[in-house]
Amino acid sequence: MNFKIIVLASIAFASMLSILQSCHSQSKEEELMAKKYCSSCHLFPEPALLDKVAWEKNILPAMAPRLGIRYFLDSPYEAGKYVKGNNANLTAENEVISINDWKKIISYYKENAPATNAAQNRPPVEKFTDRFAIKEVYSKEINPSVTYIKIDEGNKWIYTANANDSSLNIYNENLQLLSKSNLHGVMVDMQCNKDMKSNGERTGILTNIGILNPNELSTGTADSFQINKDGKVTFLKKFLGNLPRPVQTTMIDLDHDGKQDYLVNGFGNTKGALYWIKSQGNNQYQQNFIRALPGTIKTYTDDYNHDGLPDIMALMAQAQEGIYLFTNRGNGTFDSKTILQFPAVYGSSYFELDDFNNDGFKDILYTCGDNADYSYSSLKNYHGVYIFLNDGKYNFTQQYFFPIHGCYKAIARDFDNDGDLDIATISFFPDEKNQPQESFVYLENKGNAYFGNRFQFQPYSIREFNAGKWLTMDAGDIDADGDQDIVLGNFLPPAKELELQAQGKTKPLFLVLENKTKAALLK
């Protein structure tokens, strides 16, 4: 072989190797830069979670103003669109990242994100269940905007709160309207002083979120109420105010001093907190932070470590999404433990505690699917309902996942009365083009504990899946026949309302899924 050719080939090979090494080095540097800045406020989001367009056109422009970047390639980022309040006044002086480093982050996500989002790894939900008789409830006065729905088993009532007219409505078991009350706010939660299994009057507190859409205002309140045996509502007083979009208020004596305290989920927006509102007597309260970050959407209280003090388990659905255990140490102090953590694009929406494997330990039923964010146009194959099993020491491992685009809530009950837990789910952001029936999915447990396959669920929908957009759901025995019924609250966005009005169409306020299991068993 010609010596000159060998030399040239060697040089070409060395040059190519050098280029490859340089590219690898550059790619690694971009990855490190992305992990440094994109995990400073939340779990690091892998590029594969969203497609290239979502990263380039939505997520990264939203992140830029938070890092002080106002311009890129001579085009201004719309800082005011993504960052509200004082943070919108960004200047070069408060940049926390250089333009060169910002370019590396953009390059990393553009190069590593998929062209399109991955599809769900399951066939479409095509079967319809006949377990429930569907009843639709309409109103001539208001358009559907149900922000809260609840079954009162003892009184055989259904409570609904509507945002459009700030009302609380009570229906009897025949779905007749018993009372309608003006709340002067948007109710999203309600807690009674006693269990709703027994009949009689109700007293307790309701949570008014204030302004429903994302904002930084503290216009939320907690108000006391009384409902007599005929369903007449009396509002007693507002006792907590200036709350940042609260979504849940729990009555509990956290420090065991004999006084009524309150645990408040101040969801907020970019500001908010999980609050302990400590009673000091004489209607005076002291506000304490348990977690001074926004996004607390659901909490449960129990003595999880059996030391005599109430602890808190909470789902955070903003930025640092995850489930956290706050262990009460007394004297107003809490230890924090991360139970589960999720990327910020998951859109955590709900969780509850259920014992799926009958081992005496509560497991976690979790949903994610809030798609009202910067990646709203993306269908995400990791949205859906999850089961995480408890090992008895509050370490949880994923046991089950069923993909549902835009999943908003899941409730575990033994709907078919066969001794195991089934799951009812709703989606507010389903795949309306290809699979709108996933807006309601009933997962019937077909497993067999004796053969170790408790988690074999058969998915069904209902024929009325498209009767509304389901934002709220509850389960309970509304007709006292021994099985669990379901109610679905319809919330139509303003644009959808106008579209239906123009077409002369109406949609129900809510659906009642009357369970026929017990009646079928008695035949």
Side-chain angles (χ1 to χ4, degrees), residues 1-41:
M1 181 180 291
N2 188 294
F3 178 75
K4 185 180 293 186
I5 294 176
I6 294 175
V7 170
L8 290 174
S10 299
I11 293 173
F13 177 77
S15 298
M16 183 176 295
L17 184 62
S18 177
I19 291 171
L20 289 174
Q21 289 174 339
S22 176
C23 289
H24 175 75
S25 176
Q26 181 179 346
S27 176
K28 190 65 178 177
E29 186 178 355
E30 291 173 352
E31 180 183 0
L32 292 174
M33 193 62 60
K35 288 184 176 179
K36 175 182 177 180
Y37 287 99
C38 299
S39 61
S40 58
C41 299

Side-chain angles (χ1 to χ4, degrees), residues 18 63 71 142 152 160 246 401 438-439 461 476 510 512 515 518:
S18 177
M63 180 182 175
Y71 292 87
I142 58 171
D152 182 331
T160 66
F401 169 59
E438 68 178 344
S439 63
S461 188
F510 64 95
V512 177
N515 197 332
K518 196 70 174 182

Side-chain angles (χ1 to χ4, degrees), residues 4-213:
K4 185 180 293 186
I5 294 176
I6 294 175
V7 170
L8 290 174
S10 299
I11 293 173
F13 177 77
S15 298
M16 183 176 295
L17 184 62
S18 177
I19 291 171
L20 289 174
Q21 289 174 339
S22 176
C23 289
H24 175 75
S25 176
Q26 181 179 346
S27 176
K28 190 65 178 177
E29 186 178 355
E30 291 173 352
E31 180 183 0
L32 292 174
M33 193 62 60
K35 288 184 176 179
K36 175 182 177 180
Y37 287 99
C38 299
S39 61
S40 58
C41 299
H42 47 69
L43 194 66
F44 175 70
E46 295 289 347
L49 291 172
L50 293 169
D51 61 79
K52 293 180 187 293
V53 172
W55 283 116
E56 186 178 3
K57 302 298 184 183
N58 297 314
I59 301 299
L60 293 174
M63 180 182 175
R66 300 177 189 277
L67 297 175
I69 300 294
R70 295 195 303 158
Y71 292 87
F72 181 66
L73 299 180
D74 298 324
S75 298
Y77 282 123
E78 298 178 73
K81 178 180 178 181
Y82 302 107
V83 182
K84 307 299 182 183
N86 294 331
N87 290 332
N89 301 317
L90 296 169
T91 64
E93 286 73 22
N94 58 20
E95 287 183 1
V96 296
I97 186 175
S98 69
I99 289 294
N100 285 335
D101 288 343
W102 180 241
K103 287 180 180 179
K104 293 173 185 176
I105 292 176
I106 293 175
S107 175
Y108 173 71
Y109 280 98
K110 286 177 64 176
E111 291 299 321
N112 292 281
T116 58
N117 289 321
Q120 290 174 331
N121 187 23
R122 66 164 175 81
V125 179
E126 297 178 331
K127 294 183 178 180
F128 296 110
T129 179
D130 293 323
R131 187 166 302 283
F132 304 97
I134 312 300
K135 298 179 179 181
E136 300 180 349
V137 180
Y138 291 83
S139 171
K140 297 180 180 179
E141 300 177 0
I142 58 171
N143 293 317
S145 57
V146 178
T147 55
Y148 178 78
I149 194 164
K150 181 69 177 178
I151 293 175
D152 182 331
E153 293 188 356
N155 289 320
K156 299 181 182 178
W157 293 344
I158 298 172
Y159 305 103
T160 66
N162 295 280
N164 277 342
D165 64 352
S166 298
S167 65
L168 171 61
N169 306 276
I170 303 178
Y171 295 83
N172 64 18
E173 63 178 315
N174 298 316
L175 306 181
Q176 299 169 327
L177 185 63
L178 287 179
S179 67
K180 182 184 181 72
S181 306
N182 193 332
L183 298 174
H184 303 287
V186 181
M187 174 179 159
V188 293
D189 188 51
M190 177 182 186
Q191 186 182 22
C192 289
N193 287 310
K194 66 176 183 178
D195 195 288
M196 289 188 183
K197 299 289 186 182
S198 58
N199 64 353
E201 73 169 28
R202 299 285 182 244
T203 59
I205 53 174
L206 61 86
T207 302
N208 160 32
I209 195 172
I211 299 173
L212 188 62
N213 292 333

Side-chain angles (χ1 to χ4, degrees), residues 132-428:
F132 304 97
I134 312 300
K135 298 179 179 181
E136 300 180 349
V137 180
Y138 291 83
S139 171
K140 297 180 180 179
E141 300 177 0
I142 58 171
N143 293 317
S145 57
V146 178
T147 55
Y148 178 78
I149 194 164
K150 181 69 177 178
I151 293 175
D152 182 331
E153 293 188 356
N155 289 320
K156 299 181 182 178
W157 293 344
I158 298 172
Y159 305 103
T160 66
N162 295 280
N164 277 342
D165 64 352
S166 298
S167 65
L168 171 61
N169 306 276
I170 303 178
Y171 295 83
N172 64 18
E173 63 178 315
N174 298 316
L175 306 181
Q176 299 169 327
L177 185 63
L178 287 179
S179 67
K180 182 184 181 72
S181 306
N182 193 332
L183 298 174
H184 303 287
V186 181
M187 174 179 159
V188 293
D189 188 51
M190 177 182 186
Q191 186 182 22
C192 289
N193 287 310
K194 66 176 183 178
D195 195 288
M196 289 188 183
K197 299 289 186 182
S198 58
N199 64 353
E201 73 169 28
R202 299 285 182 244
T203 59
I205 53 174
L206 61 86
T207 302
N208 160 32
I209 195 172
I211 299 173
L212 188 62
N213 292 333
N215 65 88
E216 303 298 350
L217 302 176
S218 295
T219 56
T221 65
D223 308 287
S224 59
F225 68 87
Q226 183 178 35
I227 305 174
N228 69 15
K229 59 183 178 60
D230 299 317
K232 182 180 178 181
V233 180
T234 303
F235 297 101
L236 303 178
K237 65 177 180 178
K238 178 180 75 175
F239 62 92
L240 297 178
N242 302 316
L243 301 174
R245 296 179 75 218
V247 294
Q248 183 182 358
T249 308
T250 303
M251 297 178 285
I252 186 168
D253 182 4
L254 278 175
D255 56 357
H256 279 190
D257 66 352
K259 297 174 184 176
Q260 181 65 76
D261 304 327
Y262 299 92
L263 181 68
V264 177
N265 297 6
F267 188 94
N269 185 29
T270 62
K271 298 177 182 178
L274 176 60
Y275 298 104
W276 168 28
I277 309 296
K278 175 177 168 52
S279 174
Q280 296 181 310
N282 298 320
N283 295 319
Q284 299 297 312
Y285 298 95
Q286 180 187 51
Q287 188 180 85
N288 302 281
F289 292 101
I290 294 177
R291 186 177 176 87
L293 292 171
T296 311
I297 196 169
K298 183 68 179 176
T299 52
Y300 296 93
T301 57
D302 201 351
D303 185 7
Y304 295 111
N305 63 349
H306 308 292
D307 67 349
L309 293 171
D311 308 307
I312 304 162
M313 194 174 293
L315 172 61
M316 310 294 294
Q318 288 276 80
Q320 294 184 9
E321 292 193 21
I323 297 174
Y324 299 84
L325 176 62
F326 300 98
T327 304
N328 195 339
R329 294 303 182 193
N331 299 318
T333 62
F334 293 83
D335 289 341
S336 176
K337 176 185 177 182
T338 302
I339 299 293
L340 296 168
Q341 200 169 11
F342 311 104
V345 297
Y346 263 47
S348 299
S349 50
Y350 184 78
F351 88 115
E352 66 176 38
L353 302 172
D354 306 285
D355 187 0
F356 279 93
N357 54 1
N358 294 322
D359 65 352
F361 302 109
K362 291 290 185 70
D363 308 306
I364 289 176
L365 179 67
Y366 161 83
T367 63
C368 60
D370 185 356
N371 227 20
D373 58 17
Y374 305 124
S375 58
Y376 61 91
S377 61
S378 299
L379 292 172
K380 305 176 175 90
N381 68 334
Y382 42 84
H383 276 178
V385 56
Y386 295 75
I387 297 173
F388 297 92
L389 291 187
N390 186 349
D391 68 354
K393 299 178 182 178
Y394 290 92
N395 301 304
F396 292 82
T397 55
Q398 182 179 322
Q399 174 65 40
Y400 177 78
F401 169 59
F402 187 84
I404 299 175
H405 293 121
C407 192
Y408 233 62
K409 187 172 183 177
I411 295 176
R413 300 286 191 278
D414 185 5
F415 290 106
D416 56 3
N417 284 7
D418 68 347
D420 54 28
L421 289 176
D422 313 297
I423 302 171
T425 75
I426 54 172
S427 167
F428 194 66

